[in-house]
Amino acid sequence: MSTPLLQQFPSLSTYPDAFLKDLLSDPALVEAFLFTLPEVQALAAEVEQLGKENEELARQNLALEDGLVALRDATEQAYAHAEGMKRQWADIDKAQTNLYSKFRPSFLHLRLKHSLTAQDEASEKIAAAFIESGASGNGSGAVSRVDSPAPGASDERPASVLDRSTSRPLDDFVTEFKAARKTYHKRAIWAERWSRGEVAWRDD
C-alpha cells in the first residue's frame, strides 16, 4: 500500500505496520526514529551544508566590510567633488560667455564703427587746435607773416631762427594730423570691407 508518507520516506516500507503504529504513540520516539532514516539524514546533511556555506559567505562579507565602507566614503567624496566642479564650471562658462561676447564679430564691427567716428573727431580736434594756436599767436584770425614786420619796426633776428620758429609747429601738426588721418582711413577701409562681407572670422 502506497501512502504519501511512504512516498516521502520509502525506507519506512521495510517496517511492519504494527511497529509504525506503536511508534506514533510516542512523539519523542518518533523524532528519534526519523533521524535514523536515510532520507532525513540526507536532508539534515544538506541543511548543515547550507548552514556552513552561509557562514562562509558571512565571513567573506565581513572581510569585505572595511573595503566597502572605504569605497563608499571615497565615492561620496568623489561625488561631492564632482558636484563642486559642476557648479564651478557653470560659473566659468557664464564668465567665458560674457567674455566671448566682447569678441563676437557683430560686437567688434560695432566697436570699429565707433572707433572710426572717434578717430575722425580726434583728427578734427587736432586741426582745430592748430588753427586756434595760430590765431592766438597774432591776436587775429589769420596766421602772422614773420617776413612782414610792422612799418617803422625792424626785426634783427636771423632768418634761420625765424624759419625754425614757424616751421616746427607746422611740421609737428602735419606729422600728427597725417598719422591721425592715416589711422582713420585704415579703419574706414576695414569698415567698408566688413560691410561688404569681405571680412570672415574663424572660430579656431
Side-chain angles (χ1 to χ4, degrees):
M1 181 178 179
S2 177
T3 64
L5 182 62
L6 292 177
Q7 292 177 359
Q8 186 174 4
F9 302 101
S11 60
L12 291 177
S13 61
T14 61
Y15 296 93
D17 293 341
F19 174 78
L20 295 176
K21 290 179 181 179
D22 294 339
L23 185 66
L24 293 175
S25 63
D26 188 350
L29 184 61
V30 171
E31 182 177 358
F33 176 75
L34 288 177
F35 278 96
T36 64
L37 297 177
E39 297 86 354
V40 176
Q41 291 177 353
L43 290 174
E46 184 178 353
V47 171
E48 183 179 1
Q49 181 63 28
L50 290 175
K52 292 179 179 179
E53 292 178 357
N54 287 336
E55 291 178 358
E56 180 62 24
L57 290 175
R59 283 194 294 270
Q60 293 178 4
N61 290 337
L62 288 175
L64 295 174
E65 182 179 7
D66 294 341
L68 292 175
V69 170
L71 181 60
R72 182 193 62 188
D73 295 341
T75 302
E76 291 178 352
Q77 294 178 3
Y79 179 78
H81 178 71
E83 287 295 314
M85 295 297 292
K86 183 179 179 181
R87 291 189 295 269
Q88 184 179 359
W89 168 248
D91 296 337
I92 294 176
D93 185 59
K94 182 179 179 180
Q96 184 178 8
T97 300
N98 294 335
L99 180 63
Y100 182 73
S101 65
K102 299 180 181 179
F103 297 93
R104 290 198 305 264
S106 58
F107 184 79
L108 293 177
H109 191 198
L110 182 62
R111 287 188 59 186
L112 179 60
K113 289 183 176 179
H114 288 173
S115 66
L116 181 64
T117 302
Q119 187 65 23
D120 186 43
E121 293 175 353
S123 62
E124 291 298 326
K125 288 181 180 179
I126 294 173
F130 178 76
I131 294 174
E132 291 177 1
S133 66
S136 62
N138 57 14
S140 63
V143 180
S144 63
R145 292 181 56 84
V146 297
D147 56 347
S148 301
S154 62
D155 192 342
E156 297 179 354
R157 289 180 298 172
S160 59
V161 175
L162 295 177
D163 291 341
R164 288 195 301 271
S165 64
T166 57
S167 63
R168 182 176 297 110
L170 179 60
D171 292 341
D172 293 342
F173 161 73
V174 171
T175 300
E176 184 179 7
F177 187 75
K178 284 178 63 177
R181 294 308 295 179
K182 182 179 180 181
T183 300
Y184 168 81
H185 286 297
K186 284 184 176 180
R187 294 177 181 178
I189 292 173
W190 277 108
E192 182 180 358
R193 293 182 59 187
W194 204 328
S195 299
R196 292 199 303 262
E198 297 177 2
V199 176
W201 289 89
R202 296 171 52 183
D203 294 335
D204 57 353

